[in-house]
Amino acid sequence: MVSTERVLAFAAMSLLVIVIPGPSVLFVIGRALAHGRRTALATVLGNLIGSYVLVIAVAWGLGALVETSAAVFMGVKLAGAAYLVYLGVQAFRHRREMRVADMAAPAGERRGDLRTILDGILVGATNPKGIVFFAAVLPQFVDHTARHVPLQMMVLGLVPVTIGMITDTLWGLGASAARSWFARSDRRLSMVGGAGGFAMIGLGVTVAVTGRAD
């Protein structure tokens, strides 16, 4: 249904966009520093689901509304930015509750996996970079003369999602490894938890003030 040439071309374009760290990558890093590897990986999963929600929205026409309406785009962007700031504030507020002994406890007891995945879905689905990419770039690689255009978009959308899964996982594991070194000291662990919170707050502010390219 989708030619190999189109898939490869879209994969190359996706890779160029994804290798530049955006809100999703920075969010994964912030969560890894604040909460550890398991939370980082659950966040990656949530981000991927949220990104594919954007693919579905674009495939069935909703993406065009978000892209063409400045008001809708601004609303989606600010909602995501506000939630990032909220999560960052929470991580910073609870930074002193992080202890070396807690590292041995199952991560699910510190923060539910389902809640973490839902956080990732919200951030992934409101990612301005993802909205613009899927709404403006994805349709260019679809054969509009063929049938089942929405299905073509959904198939092509699996390409950047797969690439993102690999790269985001590597980012999360790398940040988690750095956190493990800090975990040898309660004070250092508290500091890195606070740093992760600040990173998410800064990311939220950046998303809020960044305009879209019209």
Side-chain angles (χ1 to χ4, degrees):
M1 181 182 62
V2 181
S3 68
T4 303
E5 292 77 9
R6 289 178 183 271
V7 172
L8 293 178
F10 187 57
M13 176 66 74
S14 299
L15 183 60
L16 289 175
V17 173
I18 292 172
V19 293
I20 302 173
S24 293
V25 170
L26 298 179
F27 181 57
V28 169
I29 293 175
R31 298 290 268 181
L33 292 176
H35 300 287
R37 181 175 62 183
R38 180 164 175 168
T39 296
L41 295 179
T43 300
V44 170
L45 176 59
N47 268 333
L48 297 178
I49 296 173
S51 295
Y52 200 70
V53 167
L54 290 179
V55 173
I56 295 174
V58 170
W60 296 100
L62 296 179
L65 173 62
V66 175
E67 175 61 12
T68 57
S69 172
V72 174
F73 182 88
M74 181 63 69
V76 172
K77 183 182 73 168
L78 291 180
Y83 197 62
L84 282 170
V85 171
Y86 166 77
L87 293 174
V89 170
Q90 291 297 104
F92 183 78
R93 285 182 56 197
H94 298 289
R95 69 192 186 283
R96 297 188 183 279
E97 299 174 12
M98 303 171 69
R99 294 293 184 270
V100 174
D102 293 339
M103 297 292 288
E109 295 179 6
R110 300 193 304 275
R111 184 174 184 81
D113 289 339
L114 179 58
R115 172 65 184 276
T116 300
I117 292 172
L118 291 176
D119 289 344
I121 291 174
L122 180 58
V123 172
T126 57
N127 179 2
K129 179 181 176 182
I131 293 172
V132 173
F133 177 74
F134 288 122
V137 178
L138 176 58
Q140 299 180 28
F141 291 87
V142 173
D143 183 359
H144 292 276
T145 64
R147 301 175 58 186
H148 309 299
V149 170
L151 188 56
Q152 288 185 60
M153 290 188 181
M154 292 177 67
V155 171
L156 283 171
L158 294 173
V159 174
V161 168
T162 301
I163 295 174
M165 177 184 67
I166 297 171
T167 57
D168 287 3
T169 298
L170 292 176
W171 279 111
L173 292 177
S176 300
R179 180 181 187 269
S180 297
W181 181 83
F182 280 98
R184 297 173 188 173
S185 163
D186 284 344
R187 182 181 178 185
R188 283 184 295 186
L189 185 58
S190 176
M191 289 175 60
V192 78
F198 270 125
M200 283 185 279
I201 293 172
L203 174 59
V205 173
T206 301
V207 168
V209 302
T210 300
R212 71 178 194 173
D214 289 324

PDB file of all heavy atoms in Angstrom, residues 99-131:
ATOM      1  N   ARG A  99      15.898   9.014  48.745  1.00  0.00           N
ATOM      2  CA  ARG A  99      16.964   8.480  49.592  1.00  0.00           C
ATOM      3  C   ARG A  99      17.615   7.305  48.879  1.00  0.00           C
ATOM      4  O   ARG A  99      17.011   6.648  48.039  1.00  0.00           O
ATOM      5  CB  ARG A  99      16.394   8.004  50.940  1.00  0.00           C
ATOM      6  CG  ARG A  99      15.827   9.131  51.811  1.00  0.00           C
ATOM      7  CD  ARG A  99      16.928  10.065  52.290  1.00  0.00           C
ATOM      8  NE  ARG A  99      16.414  11.077  53.185  1.00  0.00           N
ATOM      9  CZ  ARG A  99      15.960  12.259  52.781  1.00  0.00           C
ATOM     10  NH1 ARG A  99      15.958  12.556  51.488  1.00  0.00           N
ATOM     11  NH2 ARG A  99      15.509  13.136  53.652  1.00  0.00           N
ATOM     12  N   VAL A 100      18.863   7.039  49.241  1.00  0.00           N
ATOM     13  CA  VAL A 100      19.582   5.919  48.655  1.00  0.00           C
ATOM     14  C   VAL A 100      18.828   4.619  48.896  1.00  0.00           C
ATOM     15  O   VAL A 100      18.737   3.757  48.032  1.00  0.00           O
ATOM     16  CB  VAL A 100      21.007   5.833  49.249  1.00  0.00           C
ATOM     17  CG1 VAL A 100      21.705   4.580  48.744  1.00  0.00           C
ATOM     18  CG2 VAL A 100      21.811   7.066  48.868  1.00  0.00           C
ATOM     19  N   ALA A 101      18.248   4.460  50.074  1.00  0.00           N
ATOM     20  CA  ALA A 101      17.530   3.227  50.398  1.00  0.00           C
ATOM     21  C   ALA A 101      16.343   3.019  49.471  1.00  0.00           C
ATOM     22  O   ALA A 101      15.969   1.895  49.150  1.00  0.00           O
ATOM     23  CB  ALA A 101      17.056   3.248  51.850  1.00  0.00           C
ATOM     24  N   ASP A 102      15.754   4.141  48.996  1.00  0.00           N
ATOM     25  CA  ASP A 102      14.587   4.033  48.121  1.00  0.00           C
ATOM     26  C   ASP A 102      14.939   3.436  46.769  1.00  0.00           C
ATOM     27  O   ASP A 102      14.081   2.905  46.072  1.00  0.00           O
ATOM     28  CB  ASP A 102      13.964   5.420  47.891  1.00  0.00           C
ATOM     29  CG  ASP A 102      13.355   5.970  49.170  1.00  0.00           C
ATOM     30  OD1 ASP A 102      13.058   5.153  50.062  1.00  0.00           O
ATOM     31  OD2 ASP A 102      13.192   7.197  49.269  1.00  0.00           O
ATOM     32  N   MET A 103      16.212   3.524  46.384  1.00  0.00           N
ATOM     33  CA  MET A 103      16.607   3.023  45.076  1.00  0.00           C
ATOM     34  C   MET A 103      16.430   1.519  44.974  1.00  0.00           C
ATOM     35  O   MET A 103      16.265   0.969  43.898  1.00  0.00           O
ATOM     36  CB  MET A 103      18.075   3.384  44.805  1.00  0.00           C
ATOM     37  CG  MET A 103      18.333   4.884  44.747  1.00  0.00           C
ATOM     38  SD  MET A 103      17.564   5.659  43.332  1.00  0.00           S
ATOM     39  CE  MET A 103      18.623   5.051  42.032  1.00  0.00           C
ATOM     40  N   ALA A 104      16.472   0.838  46.095  1.00  0.00           N
ATOM     41  CA  ALA A 104      16.319  -0.615  46.076  1.00  0.00           C
ATOM     42  C   ALA A 104      14.861  -1.042  46.064  1.00  0.00           C
ATOM     43  O   ALA A 104      14.538  -2.186  45.808  1.00  0.00           O
ATOM     44  CB  ALA A 104      17.016  -1.232  47.295  1.00  0.00           C
ATOM     45  N   ALA A 105      13.963  -0.122  46.353  1.00  0.00           N
ATOM     46  CA  ALA A 105      12.540  -0.445  46.387  1.00  0.00           C
ATOM     47  C   ALA A 105      11.981  -0.446  44.979  1.00  0.00           C
ATOM     48  O   ALA A 105      12.469   0.278  44.106  1.00  0.00           O
ATOM     49  CB  ALA A 105      11.787   0.591  47.240  1.00  0.00           C
ATOM     50  N   PRO A 106      10.953  -1.275  44.720  1.00  0.00           N
ATOM     51  CA  PRO A 106      10.345  -1.284  43.397  1.00  0.00           C
ATOM     52  C   PRO A 106       9.854   0.103  43.024  1.00  0.00           C
ATOM     53  O   PRO A 106       9.197   0.767  43.819  1.00  0.00           O
ATOM     54  CB  PRO A 106       9.182  -2.272  43.549  1.00  0.00           C
ATOM     55  CG  PRO A 106       9.584  -3.151  44.695  1.00  0.00           C
ATOM     56  CD  PRO A 106      10.351  -2.266  45.631  1.00  0.00           C
ATOM     57  N   ALA A 107      10.201   0.539  41.820  1.00  0.00           N
ATOM     58  CA  ALA A 107       9.843   1.896  41.409  1.00  0.00           C
ATOM     59  C   ALA A 107       8.343   2.105  41.391  1.00  0.00           C
ATOM     60  O   ALA A 107       7.866   3.212  41.576  1.00  0.00           O
ATOM     61  CB  ALA A 107      10.429   2.202  40.024  1.00  0.00           C
ATOM     62  N   GLY A 108       7.591   1.030  41.162  1.00  0.00           N
ATOM     63  CA  GLY A 108       6.150   1.156  41.112  1.00  0.00           C
ATOM     64  C   GLY A 108       5.563   1.596  42.436  1.00  0.00           C
ATOM     65  O   GLY A 108       4.491   2.166  42.493  1.00  0.00           O
ATOM     66  N   GLU A 109       6.304   1.333  43.559  1.00  0.00           N
ATOM     67  CA  GLU A 109       5.813   1.760  44.842  1.00  0.00           C
ATOM     68  C   GLU A 109       6.010   3.249  45.048  1.00  0.00           C
ATOM     69  O   GLU A 109       5.313   3.871  45.825  1.00  0.00           O
ATOM     70  CB  GLU A 109       6.541   0.981  45.952  1.00  0.00           C
ATOM     71  CG  GLU A 109       6.253  -0.491  45.945  1.00  0.00           C
ATOM     72  CD  GLU A 109       6.998  -1.231  47.028  1.00  0.00           C
ATOM     73  OE1 GLU A 109       7.647  -0.567  47.853  1.00  0.00           O
ATOM     74  OE2 GLU A 109       6.934  -2.471  47.043  1.00  0.00           O
ATOM     75  N   ARG A 110       6.988   3.838  44.342  1.00  0.00           N
ATOM     76  CA  ARG A 110       7.238   5.260  44.477  1.00  0.00           C
ATOM     77  C   ARG A 110       6.325   6.063  43.548  1.00  0.00           C
ATOM     78  O   ARG A 110       5.906   7.146  43.877  1.00  0.00           O
ATOM     79  CB  ARG A 110       8.707   5.563  44.158  1.00  0.00           C
ATOM     80  CG  ARG A 110       9.689   4.857  45.075  1.00  0.00           C
ATOM     81  CD  ARG A 110      11.068   5.445  44.906  1.00  0.00           C
ATOM     82  NE  ARG A 110      11.541   5.406  43.519  1.00  0.00           N
ATOM     83  CZ  ARG A 110      12.144   4.367  42.978  1.00  0.00           C
ATOM     84  NH1 ARG A 110      12.331   3.262  43.680  1.00  0.00           N
ATOM     85  NH2 ARG A 110      12.557   4.411  41.721  1.00  0.00           N
ATOM     86  N   ARG A 111       6.067   5.537  42.393  1.00  0.00           N
ATOM     87  CA  ARG A 111       5.200   6.215  41.436  1.00  0.00           C
ATOM     88  C   ARG A 111       4.575   5.167  40.531  1.00  0.00           C
ATOM     89  O   ARG A 111       5.279   4.378  39.927  1.00  0.00           O
ATOM     90  CB  ARG A 111       6.003   7.225  40.620  1.00  0.00           C
ATOM     91  CG  ARG A 111       5.121   8.041  39.677  1.00  0.00           C
ATOM     92  CD  ARG A 111       5.919   9.132  39.005  1.00  0.00           C
ATOM     93  NE  ARG A 111       5.045   9.967  38.189  1.00  0.00           N
ATOM     94  CZ  ARG A 111       4.295  10.946  38.661  1.00  0.00           C
ATOM     95  NH1 ARG A 111       4.339  11.222  39.947  1.00  0.00           N
ATOM     96  NH2 ARG A 111       3.517  11.659  37.859  1.00  0.00           N
ATOM     97  N   GLY A 112       3.256   5.165  40.458  1.00  0.00           N
ATOM     98  CA  GLY A 112       2.581   4.152  39.675  1.00  0.00           C
ATOM     99  C   GLY A 112       2.961   4.195  38.206  1.00  0.00           C
ATOM    100  O   GLY A 112       3.058   5.268  37.611  1.00  0.00           O
ATOM    101  N   ASP A 113       3.179   3.021  37.623  1.00  0.00           N
ATOM    102  CA  ASP A 113       3.547   2.957  36.209  1.00  0.00           C
ATOM    103  C   ASP A 113       2.440   3.517  35.318  1.00  0.00           C
ATOM    104  O   ASP A 113       2.728   4.215  34.335  1.00  0.00           O
ATOM    105  CB  ASP A 113       3.842   1.503  35.811  1.00  0.00           C
ATOM    106  CG  ASP A 113       5.135   0.996  36.420  1.00  0.00           C
ATOM    107  OD1 ASP A 113       5.982   1.834  36.789  1.00  0.00           O
ATOM    108  OD2 ASP A 113       5.300  -0.232  36.527  1.00  0.00           O
ATOM    109  N   LEU A 114       1.187   3.220  35.650  1.00  0.00           N
ATOM    110  CA  LEU A 114       0.077   3.701  34.831  1.00  0.00           C
ATOM    111  C   LEU A 114       0.030   5.223  34.843  1.00  0.00           C
ATOM    112  O   LEU A 114      -0.155   5.855  33.785  1.00  0.00           O
ATOM    113  CB  LEU A 114      -1.243   3.123  35.337  1.00  0.00           C
ATOM    114  CG  LEU A 114      -2.502   3.569  34.565  1.00  0.00           C
ATOM    115  CD1 LEU A 114      -2.385   3.192  33.096  1.00  0.00           C
ATOM    116  CD2 LEU A 114      -3.755   2.943  35.180  1.00  0.00           C
ATOM    117  N   ARG A 115       0.215   5.817  36.020  1.00  0.00           N
ATOM    118  CA  ARG A 115       0.220   7.286  36.108  1.00  0.00           C
ATOM    119  C   ARG A 115       1.370   7.864  35.287  1.00  0.00           C
ATOM    120  O   ARG A 115       1.214   8.881  34.590  1.00  0.00           O
ATOM    121  CB  ARG A 115       0.351   7.697  37.572  1.00  0.00           C
ATOM    122  CG  ARG A 115       0.562   9.199  37.799  1.00  0.00           C
ATOM    123  CD  ARG A 115      -0.654  10.012  37.358  1.00  0.00           C
ATOM    124  NE  ARG A 115      -0.376  11.436  37.493  1.00  0.00           N
ATOM    125  CZ  ARG A 115      -0.510  12.111  38.631  1.00  0.00           C
ATOM    126  NH1 ARG A 115      -0.906  11.482  39.735  1.00  0.00           N
ATOM    127  NH2 ARG A 115      -0.261  13.397  38.683  1.00  0.00           N
ATOM    128  N   THR A 116       2.510   7.223  35.346  1.00  0.00           N
ATOM    129  CA  THR A 116       3.669   7.696  34.594  1.00  0.00           C
ATOM    130  C   THR A 116       3.412   7.618  33.089  1.00  0.00           C
ATOM    131  O   THR A 116       3.753   8.538  32.331  1.00  0.00           O
ATOM    132  CB  THR A 116       4.911   6.853  34.944  1.00  0.00           C
ATOM    133  OG1 THR A 116       5.183   6.973  36.343  1.00  0.00           O
ATOM    134  CG2 THR A 116       6.129   7.326  34.164  1.00  0.00           C
ATOM    135  N   ILE A 117       2.817   6.511  32.637  1.00  0.00           N
ATOM    136  CA  ILE A 117       2.502   6.354  31.219  1.00  0.00           C
ATOM    137  C   ILE A 117       1.496   7.418  30.770  1.00  0.00           C
ATOM    138  O   ILE A 117       1.637   8.012  29.694  1.00  0.00           O
ATOM    139  CB  ILE A 117       1.952   4.947  30.941  1.00  0.00           C
ATOM    140  CG1 ILE A 117       3.059   3.901  31.152  1.00  0.00           C
ATOM    141  CG2 ILE A 117       1.395   4.846  29.514  1.00  0.00           C
ATOM    142  CD1 ILE A 117       2.584   2.471  31.081  1.00  0.00           C
ATOM    143  N   LEU A 118       0.494   7.689  31.610  1.00  0.00           N
ATOM    144  CA  LEU A 118      -0.499   8.711  31.270  1.00  0.00           C
ATOM    145  C   LEU A 118       0.145  10.085  31.180  1.00  0.00           C
ATOM    146  O   LEU A 118      -0.214  10.891  30.310  1.00  0.00           O
ATOM    147  CB  LEU A 118      -1.621   8.711  32.318  1.00  0.00           C
ATOM    148  CG  LEU A 118      -2.534   7.481  32.316  1.00  0.00           C
ATOM    149  CD1 LEU A 118      -3.530   7.558  33.467  1.00  0.00           C
ATOM    150  CD2 LEU A 118      -3.269   7.358  30.985  1.00  0.00           C
ATOM    151  N   ASP A 119       1.094  10.367  32.082  1.00  0.00           N
ATOM    152  CA  ASP A 119       1.838  11.629  32.000  1.00  0.00           C
ATOM    153  C   ASP A 119       2.541  11.733  30.652  1.00  0.00           C
ATOM    154  O   ASP A 119       2.513  12.767  29.985  1.00  0.00           O
ATOM    155  CB  ASP A 119       2.886  11.715  33.119  1.00  0.00           C
ATOM    156  CG  ASP A 119       2.261  11.907  34.494  1.00  0.00           C
ATOM    157  OD1 ASP A 119       1.071  12.266  34.559  1.00  0.00           O
ATOM    158  OD2 ASP A 119       2.971  11.690  35.496  1.00  0.00           O
ATOM    159  N   GLY A 120       3.200  10.637  30.250  1.00  0.00           N
ATOM    160  CA  GLY A 120       3.914  10.630  28.979  1.00  0.00           C
ATOM    161  C   GLY A 120       2.986  10.801  27.792  1.00  0.00           C
ATOM    162  O   GLY A 120       3.322  11.485  26.816  1.00  0.00           O
ATOM    163  N   ILE A 121       1.803  10.184  27.846  1.00  0.00           N
ATOM    164  CA  ILE A 121       0.833  10.310  26.758  1.00  0.00           C
ATOM    165  C   ILE A 121       0.419  11.765  26.578  1.00  0.00           C
ATOM    166  O   ILE A 121       0.371  12.286  25.462  1.00  0.00           O
ATOM    167  CB  ILE A 121      -0.406   9.427  27.030  1.00  0.00           C
ATOM    168  CG1 ILE A 121      -0.043   7.946  26.930  1.00  0.00           C
ATOM    169  CG2 ILE A 121      -1.531   9.765  26.047  1.00  0.00           C
ATOM    170  CD1 ILE A 121      -1.167   7.014  27.312  1.00  0.00           C
ATOM    171  N   LEU A 122       0.134  12.441  27.708  1.00  0.00           N
ATOM    172  CA  LEU A 122      -0.301  13.836  27.631  1.00  0.00           C
ATOM    173  C   LEU A 122       0.784  14.716  27.039  1.00  0.00           C
ATOM    174  O   LEU A 122       0.522  15.551  26.164  1.00  0.00           O
ATOM    175  CB  LEU A 122      -0.696  14.337  29.015  1.00  0.00           C
ATOM    176  CG  LEU A 122      -1.166  15.795  29.082  1.00  0.00           C
ATOM    177  CD1 LEU A 122      -2.363  16.011  28.163  1.00  0.00           C
ATOM    178  CD2 LEU A 122      -1.527  16.181  30.515  1.00  0.00           C
ATOM    179  N   VAL A 123       2.022  14.516  27.492  1.00  0.00           N
ATOM    180  CA  VAL A 123       3.123  15.325  26.969  1.00  0.00           C
ATOM    181  C   VAL A 123       3.375  15.013  25.492  1.00  0.00           C
ATOM    182  O   VAL A 123       3.582  15.914  24.681  1.00  0.00           O
ATOM    183  CB  VAL A 123       4.411  15.088  27.791  1.00  0.00           C
ATOM    184  CG1 VAL A 123       5.610  15.776  27.145  1.00  0.00           C
ATOM    185  CG2 VAL A 123       4.224  15.611  29.221  1.00  0.00           C
ATOM    186  N   GLY A 124       3.339  13.727  25.123  1.00  0.00           N
ATOM    187  CA  GLY A 124       3.555  13.350  23.733  1.00  0.00           C
ATOM    188  C   GLY A 124       2.474  13.888  22.809  1.00  0.00           C
ATOM    189  O   GLY A 124       2.763  14.341  21.698  1.00  0.00           O
ATOM    190  N   ALA A 125       1.226  13.864  23.264  1.00  0.00           N
ATOM    191  CA  ALA A 125       0.109  14.296  22.427  1.00  0.00           C
ATOM    192  C   ALA A 125       0.020  15.810  22.306  1.00  0.00           C
ATOM    193  O   ALA A 125      -0.632  16.316  21.387  1.00  0.00           O
ATOM    194  CB  ALA A 125      -1.207  13.743  22.985  1.00  0.00           C
ATOM    195  N   THR A 126       0.652  16.556  23.224  1.00  0.00           N
ATOM    196  CA  THR A 126       0.604  18.014  23.158  1.00  0.00           C
ATOM    197  C   THR A 126       1.962  18.608  22.780  1.00  0.00           C
ATOM    198  O   THR A 126       2.191  19.799  22.952  1.00  0.00           O
ATOM    199  CB  THR A 126       0.155  18.600  24.513  1.00  0.00           C
ATOM    200  OG1 THR A 126       1.048  18.165  25.558  1.00  0.00           O
ATOM    201  CG2 THR A 126      -1.255  18.163  24.857  1.00  0.00           C
ATOM    202  N   ASN A 127       2.857  17.773  22.277  1.00  0.00           N
ATOM    203  CA  ASN A 127       4.190  18.210  21.881  1.00  0.00           C
ATOM    204  C   ASN A 127       4.101  19.069  20.605  1.00  0.00           C
ATOM    205  O   ASN A 127       3.766  18.554  19.541  1.00  0.00           O
ATOM    206  CB  ASN A 127       5.069  16.980  21.628  1.00  0.00           C
ATOM    207  CG  ASN A 127       6.474  17.348  21.180  1.00  0.00           C
ATOM    208  OD1 ASN A 127       6.825  18.506  21.077  1.00  0.00           O
ATOM    209  ND2 ASN A 127       7.269  16.327  20.917  1.00  0.00           N
ATOM    210  N   PRO A 128       4.395  20.371  20.695  1.00  0.00           N
ATOM    211  CA  PRO A 128       4.287  21.226  19.491  1.00  0.00           C
ATOM    212  C   PRO A 128       5.145  20.741  18.337  1.00  0.00           C
ATOM    213  O   PRO A 128       4.745  20.841  17.177  1.00  0.00           O
ATOM    214  CB  PRO A 128       4.772  22.593  20.008  1.00  0.00           C
ATOM    215  CG  PRO A 128       4.546  22.560  21.485  1.00  0.00           C
ATOM    216  CD  PRO A 128       4.798  21.133  21.887  1.00  0.00           C
ATOM    217  N   LYS A 129       6.330  20.227  18.638  1.00  0.00           N
ATOM    218  CA  LYS A 129       7.208  19.715  17.592  1.00  0.00           C
ATOM    219  C   LYS A 129       6.536  18.555  16.860  1.00  0.00           C
ATOM    220  O   LYS A 129       6.569  18.471  15.627  1.00  0.00           O
ATOM    221  CB  LYS A 129       8.528  19.257  18.206  1.00  0.00           C
ATOM    222  CG  LYS A 129       9.524  18.666  17.217  1.00  0.00           C
ATOM    223  CD  LYS A 129      10.801  18.227  17.941  1.00  0.00           C
ATOM    224  CE  LYS A 129      11.771  17.549  17.006  1.00  0.00           C
ATOM    225  NZ  LYS A 129      12.992  17.076  17.726  1.00  0.00           N
ATOM    226  N   GLY A 130       5.891  17.662  17.610  1.00  0.00           N
ATOM    227  CA  GLY A 130       5.197  16.535  17.012  1.00  0.00           C
ATOM    228  C   GLY A 130       3.985  16.975  16.197  1.00  0.00           C
ATOM    229  O   GLY A 130       3.721  16.447  15.115  1.00  0.00           O
ATOM    230  N   ILE A 131       3.253  17.953  16.730  1.00  0.00           N
ATOM    231  CA  ILE A 131       2.058  18.438  16.029  1.00  0.00           C
ATOM    232  C   ILE A 131       2.436  18.990  14.664  1.00  0.00           C
ATOM    233  O   ILE A 131       1.836  18.655  13.639  1.00  0.00           O
ATOM    234  CB  ILE A 131       1.349  19.522  16.862  1.00  0.00           C
ATOM    235  CG1 ILE A 131       0.772  18.909  18.155  1.00  0.00           C
ATOM    236  CG2 ILE A 131       0.223  20.175  16.053  1.00  0.00           C
ATOM    237  CD1 ILE A 131       0.234  19.939  19.119  1.00  0.00           C
TER     238      ILE A 131
END
